[in-house]
Amino acid sequence: AGVACSSGKTDFLEGVFARLFLYHAAFIALSKGITIMPNISAKYSQFVMPDHINVVGTLFGGQMIAWVDLAAAKVSHRFLKGSNVDGAVTRTIDKVEFKEPVYLGDWVNFLATIVSVGETSFKIQVDAYAEGRHSEPRLACVATIVMVAVKKDVEGKYQKISHGKSF
């Protein structure tokens, strides 16, 4: 929510300024010899069915969190391709903010993006957009999740391990 211009539209201008900022940052990084890792993201969608609805007629929050975790798992899979790990597990769900209600019959479209990387862990931003038959897509939920790379040891137990990736 920004300050609206005379036309009442801010999304277009925000997008233009965000792109200009990113281009400027990329130019600075390239001029200093810094390698930029491209965005690693994944999309995932779910349809809201009757068994997903709570007593007030909206999507049950726990169901949204489960779907957010699946979106994070999908981008984790993509991020870890080619590494010497068996997978990743959820370490923390740092923040979940429910911004708009989601209703029966809506599609929920998730965009999960790697935003930072540690030695064994990585942070993911998940944005969930709800879209009804008669409504425009709206940001319904935002979450931040930390995943940890794991590998099975000789005793069959999973241990955290360096994923060998950098940002």
Side-chain angles (χ1 to χ4, degrees):
V3 178
C5 62
S6 60
S7 68
K9 305 285 183 185
T10 59
D11 292 345
F12 173 76
L13 291 175
E14 288 173 357
V16 168
F17 288 120
R19 283 182 189 83
L20 285 173
F21 175 78
L22 289 174
Y23 289 136
H24 181 69
F27 175 76
I28 291 171
L30 289 172
S31 68
K32 295 184 180 213
I34 300 170
T35 303
I36 299 173
M37 184 175 178
N39 278 351
I40 296 176
S41 61
K43 294 178 180 179
Y44 168 73
S45 296
Q46 280 289 163
F47 186 69
V48 181
M49 300 291 286
D51 59 331
H52 301 141
I53 299 299
N54 62 27
V55 296
V56 297
T58 60
L59 179 65
F60 177 59
Q63 183 63 65
M64 176 67 87
I65 292 170
W67 290 343
V68 162
D69 201 28
L70 281 170
K74 185 173 182 181
V75 76
S76 298
H77 173 79
R78 186 166 288 163
F79 175 67
L80 294 172
K81 278 186 181 179
S83 67
N84 188 30
V85 303
D86 291 331
V89 295
T90 306
R91 170 108 164 85
T92 63
I93 299 176
D94 288 342
K95 176 187 167 191
V96 177
E97 183 179 353
F98 299 101
K99 295 182 153 298
E100 293 286 333
V102 179
Y103 302 101
L104 178 66
D106 282 354
W107 277 98
V108 184
N109 302 301
F110 299 87
L111 176 61
T113 306
I114 306 287
V115 294
S116 65
V117 175
E119 185 177 334
T120 61
S121 65
F122 45 98
K123 187 178 284 190
I124 300 166
Q125 170 79 32
V126 180
D127 296 328
Y129 295 88
E131 183 177 357
R133 283 185 41 212
H134 304 291
S135 66
E136 293 297 315
R138 61 197 183 278
L139 185 59
C141 181
V142 177
T144 304
I145 295 183
V146 175
M147 302 291 276
V148 174
V150 295
K151 186 166 183 74
K152 192 182 284 189
D153 65 18
V154 293
E155 296 174 2
K157 294 182 181 179
Y158 286 96
Q159 304 293 329
K160 71 179 179 178
I161 184 171
S162 175
H163 48 65
K165 302 279 186 161
S166 62
F167 215 49

